[in-house]
Every structure is written in structure tokens, then in C-alpha cells.
Amino acid sequence: MKSLREVIKEVEQKKTAIGHFNVSNLEQLKAVANAAGNLNLPVIVGVSEGEREYIGIPQIVSLVKNYRAQGIRMYLNADHTRSLENVEKAACAGFDSVIFDAANLPFEENVRNTIDARNFIKKYSSWRHKILFEGELGYIGTSSEIRTALPEGAAVRPEDLTKPEEALKFVKATGVNMLAPAVGNVHGMFANMPDPGLDLERIKAIRDAVRIPLVLHGGSGNTDADFRGAIDAGISIIHISTELRVAWRKALEETLKSNPNEVAPYELMPGVIKAVQNVVERRMRLFADLPSS
Ligand code: G3H
Ligand code: ZN
């Protein structure tokens, strides 16, 4: 199987993006694996600190390994890692990439902490297993949830978005392999309206300045047109979480309601997996520039 770095190079050349989907249970993971298998596309599975804690690091690492052995091109990312202890745990467990998230801190502090995290990554990264390291610049909120308001303190006004010159300074100082900027994106999604629009020109200006792959976080709730525009402007990886959570909960509620006497999980869960899978497939098709089914 190709390395994640090679897959990112490929999507850059094709002007497409690779989907990153957060999971915290077996059903969501199965849904992502089924979607990737059906479409024969590479995919990144992300687990935040909370998701890792719940599913278990050795468990998710071996599940992903198993899917790979079955021919699914699945990569594993330690999403939004906020402590050095957790950076080290993920790095030595065999993750393909680690995101260190100090985006809520002032610039200099973010740089200092990101450098510390990078030093841990270096210790565990080798030519045989290169761990990609991502840093974040610009605060976009923290929770993958249904929103009624923008996350407090999130950078959404043009003057607060990540600036190309600052991004370059950050990348040079920290040596990150990939950068997650604030370009109008926010974590979570609104129930009845799309998320605020993305600043496509800003994405392009940052990409031109830093010349490393850019990652769009907070993908749930953005319009298809914004996603396509963001990919054209230089985004290589797109994170989606809330949309999977919403599909999971809705399908679970409906399934339980229509099967009041069923108690076997393996009878109840296939419909839930399918509902999440549909969301993942739709996003993967869009990011890979495939026709919608
Ligand atoms: O890292 C996870 C994501 O950025 C997901 O954000 O819940 O808005 O899709 P989302
Ligand atoms: Zn994120």
C-alpha cells in the first residue's frame, strides 16, 4: 500500500482531495471501510483524543491494520492531539499521522508547543514508517456538534482568518508537514442552514505561501460548491465528523423505534451502518470528483 504522503501527492496532482472521517465505534468504522471499498478510494480514519479514549488505541490500530489486509486503503490519523503525552502514545502506536492542536493559544506559544510535539514525532518516525505531522493555525472551535451559534472566539471575520505570511512563518518555525488553517471553516454544523462560506482566495494565498498540503477541518455543513472551490484552491484533505454523528444518531433512533422488540445488535446495526456509509460515500465522491450515484 502507498504511504499517506504518496496518496496526498497523488490527490494534489489530480486536483482532488482525500476524505478524513472521524469514528468512535465499530459501526462508524465499518461504514467508512465499506464506502472506501465500494468506491475503491483511499480514506483517512480520524480519532480525536476523546474518540481514541473510547474506542481504545490498540483496538483502532489493529482494526485499521485488518482492513488494510483486506485491501482497503485506510490510513489512521491522531486527530486534534493536545498533550505531548498523547502525541507520544499515538506516534508509538503506529498512526500514519498526528495533528498537534494548539490553535487556541497565541502564535508564539502555538509555535513553541508545536515544536515540542514535532520532536516527539521525529523520535518515532523512520524512513520505513514516516509519520506525517500536522499543525493548526487559527482557532475554529473544538466540538463536532449541532450548533445554534458560531463557536465562541472562532476566527470567522476576514481579519481574523489565518494570514498567508503568518502561515509561512509558522510552517518554517515548526517544520510541520501539513497545515490546518482557519479559512471560514468551523467545527460542527448548523441544523437548518449551511456553515459560513469558505474564503477560497485565502486558501489559495496560504497554499501559495506555504507550499505544503493544506487540511480543511470542520467540513460538516459546508456546501458542495465550497468544497470543490476549496479543493481547486489547494486543499488536499477534508475532515468530516458531525455529519457522521448526525446520521448515526438519526438512523439509530429510527431503527429502535421501528423494531421495538429486537435486542440483537447485529440485527439492528446494519441499517445504521448503511446510513453513515451513505454520508461518507457522498462526500468521498465529491472530494474525488466522481459523479454522484
Ligand atoms: O477534526 C475533525 C473535523 O474537523 C470535523 O469537523 O465536525 O465540522 O465535520 P466537523
Ligand atoms: Zn478538526
Side-chain angles (χ1 to χ4, degrees), residues 106-244:
F107 183 85
E108 295 301 341
E109 234 175 300
N110 185 353
V111 167
R112 266 201 310 278
N113 292 359
T114 305
I115 291 172
D116 289 345
R118 183 200 61 189
N119 292 337
F120 274 108
I121 299 286
K122 271 194 173 164
K123 217 166 96 186
Y124 294 97
S125 193
S126 65
W127 65 267
R128 206 176 291 171
H129 180 69
K130 164 91 184 144
I131 305 168
L132 293 183
F133 182 48
E134 179 181 328
E136 299 207 20
L137 186 61
Y139 179 68
I140 64 160
T142 51
S143 306
S144 285
E145 61 189 5
I146 298 173
R147 306 203 155 277
T148 49
L150 286 168
E152 211 186 310
V156 281
R157 295 178 309 171
E159 61 270 33
D160 297 329
L161 301 182
T162 305
K163 295 174 183 58
E165 55 285 4
E166 240 178 26
L168 180 59
K169 203 172 151 198
F170 182 82
V171 168
K172 276 189 172 164
T174 59
V176 292
N177 307 117
M178 306 187 283
L179 178 71
V183 288
N185 48 329
V186 288
H187 279 129
M189 66 190 266
F190 291 90
N192 300 313
M193 59 176 187
D195 276 12
L198 301 175
D199 189 332
L200 305 181
E201 277 174 27
R202 185 66 66 98
I203 294 173
K204 180 152 186 4
I206 295 171
R207 181 64 180 80
D208 287 346
V210 299
R211 296 174 171 278
I212 60 168
L214 295 185
V215 181
L216 183 75
H217 281 252
S220 296
N222 284 111
T223 63
D224 288 6
D226 254 2
F227 279 129
R228 283 304 322 161
I231 295 166
D232 283 344
I235 291 289
S236 300
I237 297 176
I238 301 179
H239 282 225
I240 306 278
S241 176
T242 315
E243 290 180 3
L244 275 67

